[in-house]
């Protein structure tokens, strides 16, 4: 485990590093280079996206380990847009640390549910954290779908 882990708000100067981490993390699942390139635009974290959304990064000293980003969909639903971890740290608990931080940030809010579009390889990770599949989204890969997942936030735990 790394020492001195902190989760802090990302800024526009992080855009390139976050984008590169996203590509490396997505590549971990053995997608071919052509497929990754076709997703490059949607995997790119722009300065404008950082300005308009909530993004938090997990760092140890100056090493970027992972990040998450979210945005409100309406008064009761929030969407987790991104949650990515550097490949060498996948499976070591850092994704769970990011998710725990995210849920803590929204625990005293008006939101009743979190939704996300998961990579099929990450479905088990989210399921272990209480998310359930509520639909599927057609992927750019033929005959492949992304699970649309939801976590209902227990209002009893908020007070």
């Amino acid at each position: 485990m790394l020492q001195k882990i902190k989760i802090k708000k990302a800024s526009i100067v992080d855009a390139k590093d976050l984008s590169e981490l996203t590509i490396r993390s997505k590549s971990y699942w053995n997608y071919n280079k052509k497929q990754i390139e076709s997703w490059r635009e949607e995997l790119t974290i722009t300065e404008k996206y950082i300005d308009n959304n909530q993004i938090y990064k997990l760092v140890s000293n100056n090493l970027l380990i992972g990040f998450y980003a979210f945005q409100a969909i309406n008064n009761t639903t929030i969407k987790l847009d991104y949650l990515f971890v550097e490949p060498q740290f996948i499976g070591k608990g850092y994704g769970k640390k990011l998710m725990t931080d995210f849920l803590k940030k929204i625990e005293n809010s008006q939101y009743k549910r979190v939704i996300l579009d998961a990579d099929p390889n990450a479905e088990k990770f989210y399921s272990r954290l209480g998310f359930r599949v509520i639909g599927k989204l057609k992927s750019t890969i033929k005959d492949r779908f992304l699970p649309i997942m939801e976590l209902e936030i227990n209002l009893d735990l908020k007070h």
Side-chain angles (χ1 to χ4, degrees), residues 126-143:
Y126 291 115
S127 292
R128 284 193 303 270
L129 296 171
F131 283 80
R132 64 185 181 88
V133 176
I134 58 167
K136 58 185 182 175
L137 180 64
K138 189 165 176 29
S139 168
T140 55
I141 299 175
K142 187 178 189 298
D143 299 325

Side-chain angles (χ1 to χ4, degrees), residues 7-146:
I7 297 178
K8 54 189 182 180
K9 196 155 180 23
S11 67
I12 59 171
V13 298
D14 296 312
K16 183 176 187 237
D17 290 340
L18 294 172
S19 296
E20 290 171 356
L21 182 152
T22 303
I23 301 267
R24 285 189 301 273
S25 185
K26 193 72 160 177
S27 298
Y28 173 85
W29 300 110
N30 295 318
Y31 294 112
N32 65 49
K33 287 185 191 293
K34 185 177 177 184
Q35 188 61 58
I36 293 292
E37 281 306 310
S38 76
W39 290 332
R40 184 170 290 278
E41 187 176 329
E42 64 191 85
L43 295 175
T44 298
I45 309 299
T46 63
E47 291 178 6
K48 182 178 178 184
Y49 182 87
I50 293 171
D51 270 346
N52 295 328
N53 297 282
Q54 299 290 317
I55 303 182
Y56 291 87
K57 60 184 182 174
L58 184 138
V59 294
S60 175
N61 296 323
N62 287 324
L63 179 64
L64 177 63
I65 310 264
F67 76 98
Y68 67 88
F70 64 93
Q71 63 178 303
I73 300 298
N74 57 42
N75 289 339
T76 60
T77 302
I78 196 160
K79 183 170 186 187
L80 184 64
D81 278 339
Y82 295 94
L83 192 154
F84 284 96
V85 175
E86 277 288 359
Q88 73 218 52
F89 298 111
I90 291 175
K92 295 187 164 83
Y94 296 105
K96 186 174 181 182
K97 283 184 188 312
L98 288 165
M99 182 61 78
T100 299
D101 187 75
F102 164 62
L103 294 173
K104 188 168 178 49
K105 280 195 179 21
I106 65 167
E107 74 182 351
N108 293 315
S109 69
Q110 75 275 17
Y111 301 110
K112 294 179 173 49
R113 71 185 195 127
V114 177
I115 59 169
L116 59 86
D117 304 329
D119 184 287
N121 296 295
E123 183 178 343
K124 286 182 185 172
F125 167 77
Y126 291 115
S127 292
R128 284 193 303 270
L129 296 171
F131 283 80
R132 64 185 181 88
V133 176
I134 58 167
K136 58 185 182 175
L137 180 64
K138 189 165 176 29
S139 168
T140 55
I141 299 175
K142 187 178 189 298
D143 299 325
R144 177 180 178 263
F145 294 89
L146 304 178

